[in-house]
Amino acid sequence: MELDALNGTTACKESMEKELCHINEYETFQVLEAQEFLPSTYQKIPYHMGFDVKFDLRQKARLVVGGNWTDPPKEDIYSGVVSLDTVCLGFALAATNGLTVCAADVSNAFLYGRTKEQTYVIAGPEFGLAVAGKQLVIDKGLYGLRSSAAWFHEHLAAKLRAIGFKPSRVDNDFWIWKQGDHYEYLATYVDNIP
């Protein structure tokens, strides 16, 4: 907010509002009322807003929670990523066969996966007067949670299988889809698809 005041703009405020709008759209938090209590297994963690300027000069805000304050989960929190060798092989296949190569980034990727971590935050003023000061139970993956990447990886793999992709035998994050007389390939690297 100080940067906005110094620059005479509202860019940071607007980017923060956009981030919170997405978080609310995906029903990331369960808002607890004053009379509701959480079991003692839930851990309170801090959060902060991170700000960035993208290559096209857009302002970007990201809500990041302090997952490092939690006990490590007992389940696997690993998110597979395609290997560099596999990416090189994919580019070689594309070049050899005259295929088009493109890349994508999944917007708000972690908000697609549910979390099993039992965590909550106390809402600050940026959440609005109706929510500020309340406990917000984290139901979806957020940047900073230990398992967010793993849950998104699981979600993305299920969606790719549902539309017909299969992981290759060489690399589970290099996906293949037979399309009549040709194959389509897709590599996954957390929330990026090179």
Side-chain angles (χ1 to χ4, degrees):
M1 299 305 101
E2 288 178 32
L3 286 174
D4 277 353
L6 285 171
N7 294 316
T9 68
T10 58
C12 290
K13 181 178 186 266
E14 290 169 8
S15 64
M16 188 170 57
E17 287 171 351
K18 184 176 180 182
E19 171 73 353
L20 291 173
C21 180
H22 288 148
I23 283 171
N24 289 331
E25 267 179 40
Y26 286 86
E27 299 175 347
T28 305
F29 294 110
Q30 176 189 349
V31 180
L32 296 185
E33 298 304 325
Q35 69 276 11
E36 295 181 90
F37 296 98
L38 286 170
S40 61
T41 55
Y42 278 77
Q43 292 180 279
K44 177 183 167 187
I45 59 175
Y47 73 91
H48 66 276
M49 282 286 181
F51 293 90
D52 191 16
V53 178
K54 296 296 193 176
F55 66 92
D56 60 359
L57 302 180
R58 284 179 298 127
Q59 302 276 339
K60 175 70 179 164
R62 175 80 64 205
L63 184 110
V64 181
V65 295
N68 58 309
W69 289 58
T70 64
D71 297 328
K74 290 177 179 45
E75 71 269 353
D76 186 14
I77 58 170
Y78 171 74
S79 172
V81 295
V82 68
S83 76
L84 182 57
D85 290 342
T86 304
V87 171
C88 290
L89 176 63
F91 282 133
L93 284 170
T96 302
N97 294 294
L99 301 174
T100 302
V101 176
C102 60
D105 176 72
V106 179
S107 181
N108 300 308
F110 290 173
L111 300 180
Y112 287 97
R114 292 211 169 272
T115 184
K116 291 181 183 175
E117 293 181 56
Q118 296 183 332
T119 55
Y120 71 97
V121 299
I122 303 296
E126 61 276 358
F127 282 92
L129 293 174
V131 179
K134 293 184 178 180
Q135 294 176 337
L136 304 178
V137 175
I138 302 170
D139 283 336
K140 299 283 185 83
L142 283 171
Y143 286 90
L145 283 181
R146 293 177 188 261
S147 63
S148 291
W151 292 120
F152 173 70
H153 185 270
E154 184 178 290
H155 171 81
L156 180 60
K159 293 296 183 184
L160 290 174
R161 282 187 178 93
I163 61 174
F165 276 96
K166 293 182 179 171
S168 72
R169 293 181 184 153
V170 176
D171 189 326
N172 285 331
D173 292 295
F174 190 69
W175 297 79
I176 301 169
W177 188 10
K178 184 163 176 46
Q179 290 293 305
D181 63 345
H182 70 280
Y183 290 91
E184 291 185 8
Y185 302 95
L186 188 138
T188 58
Y189 193 96
V190 188
D191 62 345
N192 296 295
I193 303 173

